[in-house]
Amino acid sequence: MIRVMVVEDHPVFAEGLVALFRDLPEVEVAGVAGTGEAAVELVDQVVPDVVLMDLHLPGMSGIEATSRITARHPGVAVLALTMLSDDASILAAVRAGARGYLLKEATPADIVRSLEAVASGQVVFGAATGSRVLAALTASAVRPRPVPELTERELEVLDLVAAGLTNHAIARRLYLSEKTVRNHVSNIFAKLGVSDRAAAVARARDAGLGGR
Protein backbone atom coordinates (compact mmCIF):
# COMPACT_ATOMS: atom_id res chain seq x y z
CA MET A 1 0.00 0.00 0.00
CA ILE A 2 1.36 3.43 -1.04
CA ARG A 3 0.14 6.32 1.10
CA VAL A 4 0.07 9.45 -1.03
CA MET A 5 -0.64 13.06 -0.11
CA VAL A 6 -1.89 15.46 -2.80
CA VAL A 7 -0.76 19.10 -2.70
CA GLU A 8 -2.74 21.09 -5.27
CA ASP A 9 -4.45 24.49 -5.05
CA HIS A 10 -6.92 23.86 -7.90
CA PRO A 11 -9.83 21.93 -6.31
CA VAL A 12 -11.02 20.32 -9.56
CA PHE A 13 -7.57 18.97 -10.41
CA ALA A 14 -7.05 17.80 -6.82
CA GLU A 15 -10.40 16.01 -6.88
CA GLY A 16 -9.43 14.35 -10.16
CA LEU A 17 -6.24 12.99 -8.62
CA VAL A 18 -8.05 11.76 -5.53
CA ALA A 19 -10.63 10.01 -7.73
CA LEU A 20 -7.82 8.39 -9.75
CA PHE A 21 -6.11 7.04 -6.65
CA ARG A 22 -9.38 5.97 -5.04
CA ASP A 23 -9.84 3.40 -7.80
CA LEU A 24 -6.41 1.86 -7.15
CA PRO A 25 -6.34 -0.79 -4.40
CA GLU A 26 -2.59 -0.30 -3.90
CA VAL A 27 -2.89 3.45 -3.22
CA GLU A 28 -4.35 5.21 -0.17
CA VAL A 29 -4.87 8.99 -0.11
CA ALA A 30 -3.41 10.15 3.20
CA GLY A 31 -4.47 13.78 2.84
CA VAL A 32 -4.94 16.79 0.58
CA ALA A 33 -3.44 20.26 1.04
CA GLY A 34 -3.93 23.44 -0.99
CA THR A 35 -0.94 25.49 0.15
CA GLY A 36 2.73 24.91 0.86
CA GLU A 37 2.32 25.79 4.52
CA ALA A 38 -0.56 23.33 4.92
CA ALA A 39 1.44 20.65 3.11
CA VAL A 40 4.40 20.93 5.50
CA GLU A 41 2.11 20.73 8.53
CA LEU A 42 0.08 17.82 7.15
CA VAL A 43 3.19 15.78 6.30
CA ASP A 44 4.29 16.18 9.92
CA GLN A 45 0.95 14.68 10.97
CA VAL A 46 0.38 11.85 8.50
CA VAL A 47 3.93 11.10 7.19
CA PRO A 48 2.90 9.71 3.79
CA ASP A 49 5.08 7.61 1.51
CA VAL A 50 4.79 10.08 -1.38
CA VAL A 51 3.80 13.72 -1.69
CA LEU A 52 2.42 14.67 -5.11
CA MET A 53 3.45 18.33 -5.17
CA ASP A 54 2.27 21.20 -7.34
CA LEU A 55 4.99 23.87 -7.47
CA HIS A 56 2.92 26.98 -8.17
CA LEU A 57 1.07 27.46 -4.88
CA PRO A 58 -0.25 30.50 -3.02
CA GLY A 59 2.06 31.68 -0.23
CA MET A 60 4.93 29.25 0.28
CA SER A 61 5.94 27.79 -3.08
CA GLY A 62 6.00 24.09 -3.80
CA ILE A 63 9.78 24.33 -4.12
CA GLU A 64 10.22 25.61 -0.57
CA ALA A 65 7.60 23.18 0.75
CA THR A 66 9.54 20.35 -0.91
CA SER A 67 12.77 21.52 0.69
CA ARG A 68 11.20 21.65 4.16
CA ILE A 69 9.46 18.30 3.80
CA THR A 70 12.55 16.44 2.58
CA ALA A 71 14.67 18.03 5.32
CA ARG A 72 12.23 16.98 8.06
CA HIS A 73 11.25 13.61 6.56
CA PRO A 74 14.01 12.14 4.36
CA GLY A 75 11.96 8.98 3.88
CA VAL A 76 9.07 10.85 2.26
CA ALA A 77 9.37 10.98 -1.54
CA VAL A 78 8.22 14.16 -3.28
CA LEU A 79 6.98 13.88 -6.86
CA ALA A 80 6.47 17.27 -8.53
CA LEU A 81 3.38 17.48 -10.76
CA THR A 82 3.21 20.94 -12.28
CA MET A 83 2.62 23.17 -15.28
CA LEU A 84 6.09 24.73 -14.84
CA SER A 85 8.36 23.38 -17.57
CA ASP A 86 11.28 25.84 -17.49
CA ASP A 87 14.78 24.64 -16.62
CA ALA A 88 15.02 26.84 -13.52
CA SER A 89 11.90 25.29 -11.96
CA ILE A 90 13.01 21.75 -12.77
CA LEU A 91 16.46 22.23 -11.27
CA ALA A 92 15.07 24.06 -8.24
CA ALA A 93 12.76 21.11 -7.54
CA VAL A 94 15.60 18.61 -7.88
CA ARG A 95 17.85 20.65 -5.60
CA ALA A 96 15.01 20.93 -3.07
CA GLY A 97 14.88 17.14 -2.91
CA ALA A 98 12.16 16.08 -5.34
CA ARG A 99 12.62 12.52 -6.59
CA GLY A 100 10.54 13.05 -9.70
CA TYR A 101 9.17 15.75 -11.99
CA LEU A 102 6.09 15.42 -14.19
CA LEU A 103 4.14 17.97 -16.16
CA LYS A 104 0.38 18.09 -15.70
CA GLU A 105 -0.04 16.95 -19.28
CA ALA A 106 1.11 13.49 -18.13
CA THR A 107 -1.43 10.71 -18.54
CA PRO A 108 -3.03 9.07 -15.48
CA ALA A 109 -1.01 5.93 -16.28
CA ASP A 110 2.22 7.97 -16.27
CA ILE A 111 1.30 9.53 -12.92
CA VAL A 112 0.58 6.16 -11.34
CA ARG A 113 3.79 4.58 -12.70
CA SER A 114 5.85 7.53 -11.45
CA LEU A 115 4.15 7.39 -8.07
CA GLU A 116 5.02 3.72 -7.70
CA ALA A 117 8.59 4.34 -8.87
CA VAL A 118 9.42 7.12 -6.39
CA ALA A 119 7.71 5.15 -3.60
CA SER A 120 10.18 2.32 -4.28
CA GLY A 121 13.18 4.68 -4.15
CA GLN A 122 13.63 5.40 -7.85
CA VAL A 123 14.10 8.83 -9.42
CA VAL A 124 11.67 9.64 -12.22
CA PHE A 125 11.44 12.41 -14.80
CA GLY A 126 8.99 12.79 -17.64
CA ALA A 127 10.21 12.51 -21.21
CA ALA A 128 10.08 16.29 -21.62
CA THR A 129 12.28 16.99 -18.59
CA GLY A 130 14.71 14.11 -18.09
CA SER A 131 17.33 15.03 -20.69
CA ARG A 132 17.33 18.67 -19.60
CA VAL A 133 17.87 17.75 -15.95
CA LEU A 134 20.75 15.45 -16.85
CA ALA A 135 22.43 18.09 -19.04
CA ALA A 136 22.06 20.84 -16.44
CA LEU A 137 23.28 18.72 -13.53
CA THR A 138 26.24 17.45 -15.55
CA ALA A 139 27.23 21.01 -16.49
CA SER A 140 26.90 22.07 -12.85
CA ALA A 141 29.09 19.16 -11.68
CA VAL A 142 31.99 19.93 -14.02
CA ARG A 143 31.87 23.71 -13.67
CA PRO A 144 34.36 24.98 -11.04
CA ARG A 145 32.68 26.67 -8.10
CA PRO A 146 33.60 30.39 -8.08
CA VAL A 147 33.01 30.86 -4.33
CA PRO A 148 33.61 27.42 -2.80
CA GLU A 149 32.70 28.41 0.76
CA LEU A 150 29.07 28.95 -0.26
CA THR A 151 26.43 26.28 -0.77
CA GLU A 152 24.87 25.85 -4.21
CA ARG A 153 21.77 27.76 -3.12
CA GLU A 154 23.80 30.58 -1.55
CA LEU A 155 25.78 30.85 -4.77
CA GLU A 156 22.53 31.21 -6.73
CA VAL A 157 21.39 33.95 -4.37
CA LEU A 158 24.72 35.79 -4.53
CA ASP A 159 24.68 35.64 -8.33
CA LEU A 160 21.27 37.31 -8.37
CA VAL A 161 22.32 39.87 -5.75
CA ALA A 162 25.30 40.76 -7.95
CA ALA A 163 22.94 41.08 -10.91
CA GLY A 164 21.08 43.79 -9.00
CA LEU A 165 17.96 41.91 -7.98
CA THR A 166 16.19 42.78 -4.74
CA ASN A 167 15.37 40.14 -2.14
CA HIS A 168 11.77 40.19 -3.33
CA ALA A 169 12.80 39.60 -6.95
CA ILE A 170 15.22 36.83 -5.93
CA ALA A 171 12.45 35.12 -3.94
CA ARG A 172 10.19 35.13 -7.01
CA ARG A 173 12.97 33.88 -9.30
CA LEU A 174 13.97 30.97 -7.02
CA TYR A 175 10.47 30.15 -5.72
CA LEU A 176 11.45 30.92 -2.13
CA SER A 177 9.91 33.09 0.56
CA GLU A 178 11.46 36.51 1.07
CA LYS A 179 12.38 35.53 4.64
CA THR A 180 14.36 32.54 3.33
CA VAL A 181 16.21 34.79 0.89
CA ARG A 182 17.07 37.21 3.71
CA ASN A 183 18.48 34.31 5.72
CA HIS A 184 20.60 33.22 2.76
CA VAL A 185 21.89 36.76 2.29
CA SER A 186 22.86 36.96 5.98
CA ASN A 187 24.70 33.64 5.72
CA ILE A 188 26.50 34.86 2.60
CA PHE A 189 27.64 38.04 4.37
CA ALA A 190 28.96 35.98 7.29
CA LYS A 191 30.83 33.47 5.11
CA LEU A 192 32.36 36.18 2.91
CA GLY A 193 33.24 38.36 5.89
CA VAL A 194 31.38 41.39 4.50
CA SER A 195 28.96 43.71 6.24
CA ASP A 196 26.77 45.03 3.43
CA ARG A 197 25.33 44.29 0.02
CA ALA A 198 27.82 46.46 -1.88
CA ALA A 199 30.80 44.55 -0.49
CA ALA A 200 29.11 41.23 -1.30
CA VAL A 201 28.48 42.42 -4.86
CA ALA A 202 32.13 43.41 -5.23
CA ARG A 203 33.25 39.93 -4.12
CA ALA A 204 30.71 38.34 -6.45
CA ARG A 205 31.84 40.39 -9.45
CA ASP A 206 35.48 39.46 -8.73
CA ALA A 207 34.38 35.82 -8.92
CA GLY A 208 32.63 36.38 -12.26
CA LEU A 209 29.07 36.36 -10.89
CA GLY A 210 26.23 38.72 -11.71
CA GLY A 211 26.79 38.81 -15.44
CA ARG A 212 23.22 38.46 -16.58
Short mmCIF file of all heavy atoms in Angstrom, two decimals, residues 170-209:
data_model
loop_
_atom_site.label_atom_id
_atom_site.label_comp_id
_atom_site.label_asym_id
_atom_site.label_seq_id
_atom_site.Cartn_x
_atom_site.Cartn_y
_atom_site.Cartn_z
N ILE A 170 14.51 38.11 -6.05
CA ILE A 170 15.22 36.83 -5.93
C ILE A 170 14.26 35.74 -5.43
O ILE A 170 14.29 34.61 -5.92
CB ILE A 170 16.42 36.97 -4.97
CG1 ILE A 170 17.47 37.90 -5.58
CG2 ILE A 170 17.04 35.61 -4.67
CD1 ILE A 170 18.59 38.27 -4.62
N ALA A 171 13.42 36.08 -4.47
CA ALA A 171 12.45 35.12 -3.94
C ALA A 171 11.53 34.62 -5.05
O ALA A 171 11.25 33.42 -5.15
CB ALA A 171 11.64 35.76 -2.82
N ARG A 172 11.07 35.53 -5.90
CA ARG A 172 10.19 35.13 -7.01
C ARG A 172 10.94 34.27 -8.02
O ARG A 172 10.41 33.29 -8.54
CB ARG A 172 9.62 36.37 -7.70
CG ARG A 172 8.59 37.12 -6.87
CD ARG A 172 8.09 38.36 -7.59
NE ARG A 172 7.47 38.04 -8.85
CZ ARG A 172 6.20 37.67 -9.00
NH1 ARG A 172 5.42 37.58 -7.94
NH2 ARG A 172 5.71 37.40 -10.19
N ARG A 173 12.19 34.61 -8.30
CA ARG A 173 12.97 33.88 -9.30
C ARG A 173 13.27 32.45 -8.83
O ARG A 173 13.24 31.51 -9.63
CB ARG A 173 14.29 34.62 -9.56
CG ARG A 173 15.25 33.94 -10.54
CD ARG A 173 14.79 34.09 -11.97
NE ARG A 173 14.85 35.48 -12.37
CZ ARG A 173 15.93 36.08 -12.90
NH1 ARG A 173 17.03 35.38 -13.09
NH2 ARG A 173 15.89 37.33 -13.27
N LEU A 174 13.56 32.29 -7.53
CA LEU A 174 13.97 30.97 -7.02
C LEU A 174 12.84 30.22 -6.32
O LEU A 174 13.07 29.16 -5.74
CB LEU A 174 15.16 31.14 -6.05
CG LEU A 174 16.44 31.74 -6.64
CD1 LEU A 174 17.52 31.83 -5.58
CD2 LEU A 174 16.92 30.92 -7.83
N TYR A 175 11.63 30.79 -6.36
CA TYR A 175 10.47 30.15 -5.72
C TYR A 175 10.69 29.93 -4.23
O TYR A 175 10.42 28.86 -3.68
CB TYR A 175 10.13 28.82 -6.42
CG TYR A 175 9.90 28.97 -7.90
CD1 TYR A 175 10.90 28.63 -8.79
CD2 TYR A 175 8.72 29.48 -8.39
CE1 TYR A 175 10.72 28.78 -10.17
CE2 TYR A 175 8.52 29.64 -9.77
CZ TYR A 175 9.52 29.28 -10.63
OH TYR A 175 9.33 29.43 -11.98
N LEU A 176 11.22 30.96 -3.57
CA LEU A 176 11.45 30.92 -2.13
C LEU A 176 10.64 32.03 -1.48
O LEU A 176 10.17 32.96 -2.13
CB LEU A 176 12.94 31.12 -1.82
CG LEU A 176 13.93 30.11 -2.40
CD1 LEU A 176 15.35 30.57 -2.13
CD2 LEU A 176 13.69 28.74 -1.80
N SER A 177 10.50 31.97 -0.15
CA SER A 177 9.91 33.09 0.56
C SER A 177 10.97 34.17 0.73
O SER A 177 12.18 33.91 0.70
CB SER A 177 9.42 32.64 1.94
OG SER A 177 10.51 32.34 2.79
N GLU A 178 10.51 35.41 0.91
CA GLU A 178 11.46 36.51 1.07
C GLU A 178 12.27 36.34 2.36
O GLU A 178 13.45 36.70 2.41
CB GLU A 178 10.71 37.84 1.08
CG GLU A 178 11.58 39.03 0.76
CD GLU A 178 10.80 40.28 0.40
OE1 GLU A 178 9.62 40.16 0.03
OE2 GLU A 178 11.38 41.38 0.48
N LYS A 179 11.66 35.77 3.38
CA LYS A 179 12.38 35.53 4.64
C LYS A 179 13.53 34.56 4.41
O LYS A 179 14.63 34.75 4.94
CB LYS A 179 11.42 34.97 5.69
CG LYS A 179 12.11 34.67 7.02
CD LYS A 179 11.11 34.10 8.03
CE LYS A 179 11.81 33.75 9.33
NZ LYS A 179 10.89 33.13 10.31
N THR A 180 13.30 33.50 3.62
CA THR A 180 14.36 32.54 3.33
C THR A 180 15.50 33.20 2.58
O THR A 180 16.68 32.94 2.86
CB THR A 180 13.79 31.36 2.51
OG1 THR A 180 12.79 30.68 3.29
CG2 THR A 180 14.88 30.38 2.13
N VAL A 181 15.17 34.08 1.63
CA VAL A 181 16.21 34.79 0.89
C VAL A 181 17.02 35.67 1.83
O VAL A 181 18.26 35.72 1.76
CB VAL A 181 15.60 35.63 -0.25
CG1 VAL A 181 16.68 36.52 -0.89
CG2 VAL A 181 14.99 34.73 -1.30
N ARG A 182 16.35 36.36 2.75
CA ARG A 182 17.07 37.21 3.71
C ARG A 182 18.03 36.38 4.55
O ARG A 182 19.16 36.81 4.83
CB ARG A 182 16.08 37.95 4.62
CG ARG A 182 15.33 39.09 3.95
CD ARG A 182 14.70 40.03 4.97
NE ARG A 182 13.78 39.34 5.86
CZ ARG A 182 12.48 39.20 5.63
NH1 ARG A 182 11.95 39.71 4.51
NH2 ARG A 182 11.70 38.57 6.48
N ASN A 183 17.60 35.19 4.94
CA ASN A 183 18.48 34.31 5.72
C ASN A 183 19.70 33.89 4.90
O ASN A 183 20.82 33.85 5.42
CB ASN A 183 17.71 33.06 6.17
CG ASN A 183 16.68 33.37 7.24
OD1 ASN A 183 16.78 34.39 7.93
ND2 ASN A 183 15.69 32.52 7.38
N HIS A 184 19.48 33.58 3.63
CA HIS A 184 20.60 33.22 2.76
C HIS A 184 21.57 34.38 2.62
O HIS A 184 22.80 34.20 2.67
CB HIS A 184 20.09 32.80 1.38
CG HIS A 184 19.53 31.42 1.32
ND1 HIS A 184 20.17 30.32 1.86
CD2 HIS A 184 18.38 30.94 0.77
CE1 HIS A 184 19.44 29.23 1.65
NE2 HIS A 184 18.36 29.58 0.99
N VAL A 185 21.04 35.58 2.44
CA VAL A 185 21.89 36.76 2.29
C VAL A 185 22.72 36.98 3.55
O VAL A 185 23.93 37.27 3.49
CB VAL A 185 21.05 38.01 1.95
CG1 VAL A 185 21.91 39.29 2.03
CG2 VAL A 185 20.43 37.89 0.56
N SER A 186 22.12 36.81 4.71
CA SER A 186 22.86 36.96 5.98
C SER A 186 23.97 35.93 6.08
O SER A 186 25.09 36.25 6.50
CB SER A 186 21.89 36.81 7.16
OG SER A 186 20.95 37.85 7.19
N ASN A 187 23.67 34.69 5.69
CA ASN A 187 24.70 33.64 5.72
C ASN A 187 25.84 33.95 4.75
O ASN A 187 27.02 33.71 5.06
CB ASN A 187 24.09 32.28 5.36
CG ASN A 187 23.15 31.77 6.44
OD1 ASN A 187 23.26 32.16 7.61
ND2 ASN A 187 22.24 30.90 6.06
N ILE A 188 25.49 34.49 3.59
CA ILE A 188 26.50 34.86 2.60
C ILE A 188 27.42 35.94 3.16
O ILE A 188 28.65 35.86 3.06
CB ILE A 188 25.83 35.33 1.30
CG1 ILE A 188 25.17 34.16 0.59
CG2 ILE A 188 26.85 36.01 0.37
CD1 ILE A 188 24.22 34.56 -0.52
N PHE A 189 26.84 36.97 3.78
CA PHE A 189 27.64 38.04 4.37
C PHE A 189 28.63 37.47 5.40
O PHE A 189 29.80 37.83 5.42
CB PHE A 189 26.74 39.07 5.07
CG PHE A 189 26.00 39.98 4.12
CD1 PHE A 189 26.08 39.83 2.76
CD2 PHE A 189 25.20 41.00 4.63
CE1 PHE A 189 25.38 40.67 1.89
CE2 PHE A 189 24.52 41.85 3.79
CZ PHE A 189 24.59 41.69 2.42
N ALA A 190 28.12 36.55 6.23
CA ALA A 190 28.96 35.98 7.29
C ALA A 190 30.10 35.15 6.69
O ALA A 190 31.25 35.27 7.13
CB ALA A 190 28.11 35.12 8.22
N LYS A 191 29.80 34.33 5.69
CA LYS A 191 30.83 33.47 5.11
C LYS A 191 31.86 34.27 4.32
O LYS A 191 33.04 33.88 4.26
CB LYS A 191 30.17 32.42 4.21
CG LYS A 191 29.40 31.35 4.97
CD LYS A 191 28.82 30.31 4.04
CE LYS A 191 28.07 29.22 4.81
NZ LYS A 191 27.53 28.17 3.91
N LEU A 192 31.43 35.37 3.69
CA LEU A 192 32.36 36.18 2.91
C LEU A 192 33.09 37.21 3.77
O LEU A 192 34.02 37.87 3.29
CB LEU A 192 31.61 36.90 1.77
CG LEU A 192 30.97 36.02 0.69
CD1 LEU A 192 30.35 36.89 -0.39
CD2 LEU A 192 31.99 35.07 0.09
N GLY A 193 32.62 37.38 5.01
CA GLY A 193 33.24 38.36 5.89
C GLY A 193 32.96 39.78 5.47
O GLY A 193 33.81 40.68 5.62
N VAL A 194 31.76 40.04 4.92
CA VAL A 194 31.38 41.39 4.50
C VAL A 194 30.21 41.85 5.35
O VAL A 194 29.50 41.05 5.95
CB VAL A 194 31.01 41.43 3.00
CG1 VAL A 194 32.21 41.01 2.15
CG2 VAL A 194 29.81 40.53 2.70
N SER A 195 30.00 43.16 5.36
CA SER A 195 28.96 43.71 6.24
C SER A 195 27.78 44.30 5.48
O SER A 195 26.79 44.67 6.09
CB SER A 195 29.56 44.79 7.15
OG SER A 195 30.14 45.82 6.37
N ASP A 196 27.89 44.44 4.17
CA ASP A 196 26.77 45.03 3.43
C ASP A 196 26.69 44.46 2.02
O ASP A 196 27.56 43.71 1.57
CB ASP A 196 26.88 46.56 3.38
CG ASP A 196 28.18 47.05 2.78
OD1 ASP A 196 28.70 46.39 1.86
OD2 ASP A 196 28.69 48.08 3.24
N ARG A 197 25.62 44.81 1.35
CA ARG A 197 25.33 44.29 0.02
C ARG A 197 26.39 44.71 -1.01
O ARG A 197 26.78 43.93 -1.88
CB ARG A 197 23.94 44.77 -0.41
CG ARG A 197 23.17 43.80 -1.29
CD ARG A 197 21.75 44.31 -1.50
NE ARG A 197 20.95 43.39 -2.27
CZ ARG A 197 20.20 42.43 -1.78
NH1 ARG A 197 20.17 42.24 -0.45
NH2 ARG A 197 19.48 41.64 -2.56
N ALA A 198 26.84 45.95 -0.91
CA ALA A 198 27.82 46.46 -1.88
C ALA A 198 29.12 45.66 -1.83
O ALA A 198 29.70 45.32 -2.87
CB ALA A 198 28.10 47.94 -1.60
N ALA A 199 29.58 45.33 -0.63
CA ALA A 199 30.80 44.55 -0.49
C ALA A 199 30.61 43.14 -1.03
O ALA A 199 31.51 42.56 -1.65
CB ALA A 199 31.24 44.52 0.97
N ALA A 200 29.41 42.57 -0.78
CA ALA A 200 29.11 41.23 -1.30
C ALA A 200 29.10 41.23 -2.82
O ALA A 200 29.60 40.31 -3.47
CB ALA A 200 27.78 40.74 -0.74
N VAL A 201 28.52 42.30 -3.40
CA VAL A 201 28.48 42.42 -4.86
C VAL A 201 29.89 42.51 -5.43
O VAL A 201 30.21 41.90 -6.45
CB VAL A 201 27.63 43.63 -5.28
CG1 VAL A 201 27.82 43.94 -6.77
CG2 VAL A 201 26.15 43.40 -4.98
N ALA A 202 30.75 43.27 -4.77
CA ALA A 202 32.13 43.41 -5.23
C ALA A 202 32.83 42.05 -5.25
O ALA A 202 33.53 41.70 -6.21
CB ALA A 202 32.89 44.39 -4.34
N ARG A 203 32.65 41.26 -4.17
CA ARG A 203 33.25 39.93 -4.12
C ARG A 203 32.68 39.04 -5.22
O ARG A 203 33.40 38.25 -5.86
CB ARG A 203 32.99 39.29 -2.75
CG ARG A 203 33.84 39.84 -1.62
CD ARG A 203 35.28 39.35 -1.73
NE ARG A 203 35.37 37.90 -1.79
CZ ARG A 203 35.38 37.10 -0.73
NH1 ARG A 203 35.33 37.63 0.50
NH2 ARG A 203 35.47 35.79 -0.86
N ALA A 204 31.36 39.16 -5.44
CA ALA A 204 30.71 38.34 -6.45
C ALA A 204 31.22 38.69 -7.85
O ALA A 204 31.51 37.80 -8.66
CB ALA A 204 29.20 38.53 -6.38
N ARG A 205 31.36 39.97 -8.13
CA ARG A 205 31.84 40.39 -9.45
C ARG A 205 33.28 39.93 -9.67
O ARG A 205 33.66 39.54 -10.77
CB ARG A 205 31.74 41.91 -9.56
CG ARG A 205 30.31 42.45 -9.54
CD ARG A 205 29.62 42.24 -10.88
NE ARG A 205 28.20 42.57 -10.83
CZ ARG A 205 27.72 43.80 -10.91
NH1 ARG A 205 28.56 44.84 -11.01
NH2 ARG A 205 26.42 44.02 -10.90
N ASP A 206 34.10 39.95 -8.61
CA ASP A 206 35.48 39.46 -8.73
C ASP A 206 35.50 37.97 -9.10
O ASP A 206 36.45 37.50 -9.74
CB ASP A 206 36.23 39.66 -7.40
CG ASP A 206 36.57 41.13 -7.15
OD1 ASP A 206 36.51 41.92 -8.11
OD2 ASP A 206 36.88 41.46 -5.99
N ALA A 207 34.44 37.25 -8.65
CA ALA A 207 34.38 35.82 -8.92
C ALA A 207 33.67 35.52 -10.25
O ALA A 207 33.44 34.36 -10.59
CB ALA A 207 33.65 35.11 -7.77
N GLY A 208 33.28 36.58 -10.95
CA GLY A 208 32.63 36.38 -12.26
C GLY A 208 31.13 36.18 -12.19
O GLY A 208 30.51 35.76 -13.16
N LEU A 209 30.51 36.50 -11.05
CA LEU A 209 29.07 36.36 -10.89
C LEU A 209 28.35 37.65 -11.27
O LEU A 209 28.95 38.72 -11.35
CB LEU A 209 28.73 35.97 -9.46
CG LEU A 209 29.34 34.67 -8.94
CD1 LEU A 209 28.99 34.47 -7.47
CD2 LEU A 209 28.86 33.48 -9.76
#
